[in-house]
Amino acid sequence: MQRTEQTAREICLLDLKAKGFDDQEASDLVDRFWPVLANEIREGIIDGAWPFSAKEIEVLSEEYRNLLER
């Protein structure tokens, strides 16, 4: 899970910076939204514990999509 989380955080940060978020705001948002990217990366495969429910990921995914579309 550690590698997946690290990769997800890096991709999330790149996505947010590409959308114009400054470094601090992007870093703060990564702490909230990295599970969305991790869920996409893992494709149902769990490497260690997966602490997020399907509902949590669904809600975060929708928030993240809306954030990137603004």
Side-chain angles (χ1 to χ4, degrees):
M1 176 69 179
Q2 268 185 325
R3 283 187 297 202
T4 302
E5 179 179 341
Q6 183 60 37
T7 301
R9 285 178 174 277
E10 291 170 4
I11 293 169
C12 189
L13 184 62
L14 290 172
D15 284 350
L16 293 165
K17 289 174 105 176
K19 289 295 184 174
F21 290 92
D22 66 42
D23 289 343
Q24 184 59 54
E25 188 175 15
S27 293
D28 292 343
L29 290 167
V30 165
D31 288 337
R32 175 162 177 77
F33 293 113
W34 72 265
V36 172
L37 286 293
N39 189 60
E40 292 176 9
I41 292 167
R42 73 183 188 96
E43 295 182 334
I45 299 168
I46 298 174
D47 179 18
W50 181 248
F52 307 99
S53 71
K55 184 62 179 173
E56 287 174 303
I57 293 299
E58 181 182 325
V59 169
L60 285 172
S61 294
E62 184 173 342
E63 288 178 24
Y64 189 62
R65 277 191 302 276
N66 290 336
L67 184 68
L68 294 180
E69 289 174 357
R70 63 177 193 162

